[in-house]
Amino acid sequence: MNIEEAIDEYLIHLRVERGSSNNTISQYARDLSLYAADLKRCDKINVADITRDDVIAFETGIMKAGYSPATVKRRMSAVKGFHRFLIREDMTDKNPADSIKLPKIPERLPDVLSIDQVERMLDMHTDSSPTGLRDRALLEVLYGCGLRASEICGLDTDSLYFEEGFLRVFGKGSKERIVPISGEALRALDRYLTDARPALSMKSKNPNPTDVKAVFLNARGTRLSRQGLHAIVAKAGGAIDVDDLHPHTLRHSFATHMLEGGADLRVIQEILGHSDISTTQIYTHIDRTHMIEEYRAAHPRQGAKNG
């Protein structure tokens, strides 16, 4: 089969059978397009023509181009997934990428805000305008529930269960999960829905069904985009002198502060929607870092010189 046709089949498989997000599919499409272009330069047209040397040459090329280990790993993951698909679908009888190991990525702990920084950021949002109440609710829910940017932007009004104290969200691969909500996050969201969202919804001239259901709206009355969310969070970070604050930092902060407060790791895993506990365990490293810093700051002998 022609390589480009096989890639199209694989992307359809990701969308229809795996339920991958549009962002994931777009990224795979870009990575495999680069792979196909590299193979074409070597006069490889059909999937049966691809050899292990071709796969290694592609990996070597992107490494020499100076891409980060994370980018190299992502692109090679796409290539390996593509070749596994070809085997499963009997499009070829060999997997030239099978024995190639993915590069290891140096462990990097995610950025988190301190509890004091979070409280200062939220306390500074006293604007009672419709957009001001929306922004406060956004920040409270991001931090209070640990949602991803795509999850909070995709949140619909029929997924709010205030009396029961939870939200129904759809994470990666459209997987549904239940996330608790209470306290300040619940109060801020309730106030926004009552006092602000109706005014924002009236701004939409041609509302479509998805906008009508959206919890968070922009100033035009349509569903808030991820770009719009990022701008709101970055502005909130700037107010407390944190440059380029990202919504995911609030998710990391939620998990870290929950762990520091004594929450069970499995509970945090379930709330965050991690399929593998090893993904959640990174927060135990952050917690240890916090513990070490506290120890060094508080212990009376930490400042003493040896000898």
Side-chain angles (χ1 to χ4, degrees), residues 86-131:
L86 297 180
I87 292 289
R88 284 198 305 270
E89 298 299 314
D90 293 324
M91 296 182 188
T92 183
D93 59 358
K94 62 180 181 180
N95 184 347
D98 186 43
S99 62
I100 295 175
K101 303 296 184 183
L102 293 175
K104 291 186 177 180
I105 301 175
E107 185 176 357
R108 178 183 179 276
L109 298 180
D111 295 329
V112 297
L113 299 180
S114 68
I115 294 175
D116 178 65
Q117 284 176 308
V118 173
E119 290 181 345
R120 284 195 294 115
M121 179 183 67
L122 295 174
D123 289 344
M124 291 177 72
H125 273 72
T126 58
D127 181 3
S128 59
S129 68
T131 54

Side-chain angles (χ1 to χ4, degrees), residues 31-274:
D31 292 340
L32 292 174
S33 176
L34 292 172
Y35 182 50
D38 197 65
L39 293 169
K40 191 173 184 180
R41 284 192 290 271
C42 301
D43 297 322
K44 302 297 175 74
I45 305 300
N46 298 312
V47 295
D49 299 330
I50 306 172
T51 67
R52 186 175 185 274
D53 287 344
D54 294 323
V55 180
I56 291 174
F58 175 67
E59 181 179 29
T60 301
I62 55 181
M63 290 174 70
K64 285 184 176 179
Y67 289 101
S68 69
T71 299
V72 175
K73 183 175 182 179
R74 191 199 68 229
R75 289 183 176 170
M76 293 309 298
S77 293
V79 168
K80 288 174 73 69
F82 171 60
H83 282 288
R84 286 194 298 270
F85 169 77
L86 297 180
I87 292 289
R88 284 198 305 270
E89 298 299 314
D90 293 324
M91 296 182 188
T92 183
D93 59 358
K94 62 180 181 180
N95 184 347
D98 186 43
S99 62
I100 295 175
K101 303 296 184 183
L102 293 175
K104 291 186 177 180
I105 301 175
E107 185 176 357
R108 178 183 179 276
L109 298 180
D111 295 329
V112 297
L113 299 180
S114 68
I115 294 175
D116 178 65
Q117 284 176 308
V118 173
E119 290 181 345
R120 284 195 294 115
M121 179 183 67
L122 295 174
D123 289 344
M124 291 177 72
H125 273 72
T126 58
D127 181 3
S128 59
S129 68
T131 54
L133 293 178
R134 178 206 61 196
D135 294 353
R136 173 65 184 260
L138 270 169
L139 296 169
E140 289 281 7
V141 174
L142 277 172
Y143 174 67
C145 303
L147 301 188
R148 300 180 178 96
S150 59
E151 293 169 351
I152 198 164
C153 290
L155 195 62
D156 289 333
T157 52
D158 58 5
S159 295
L160 309 179
Y161 298 84
F162 284 179
E163 290 188 9
E164 294 85 353
F166 69 83
L167 310 176
R168 182 165 55 97
V169 302
F170 294 89
K172 291 184 176 180
S174 298
K175 291 181 180 177
E176 179 182 337
R177 73 179 189 280
I178 300 303
V179 176
I181 183 171
S182 62
E184 292 297 330
L186 179 59
R187 285 188 283 274
L189 183 55
D190 186 40
R191 186 181 178 194
Y192 157 71
L193 292 170
T194 303
D195 299 341
R197 188 183 179 280
L200 292 175
S201 66
M202 292 177 62
K203 301 289 183 67
S204 179
K205 296 180 181 179
N206 298 298
N208 60 50
T210 185
D211 290 339
V212 169
K213 294 195 304 177
V215 170
F216 290 104
L217 305 175
N218 59 29
R220 299 183 302 279
T222 59
R223 185 183 293 272
L224 184 70
S225 67
R226 290 178 65 171
Q227 291 80 6
L229 172 65
H230 283 220
I232 292 167
V233 174
K235 182 179 178 182
I240 58 169
D241 298 322
V242 175
D243 293 334
D244 197 27
L245 181 62
H246 193 279
H248 224 65
T249 303
L250 295 180
R251 177 174 161 89
H252 293 319
S253 302
F254 159 83
T256 303
H257 299 162
M258 285 280 289
L259 190 64
E260 290 173 358
D264 183 83
L265 196 63
R266 290 285 181 184
V267 172
I268 298 173
Q269 177 193 5
E270 187 173 347
I271 294 174
L272 293 177
H274 289 161

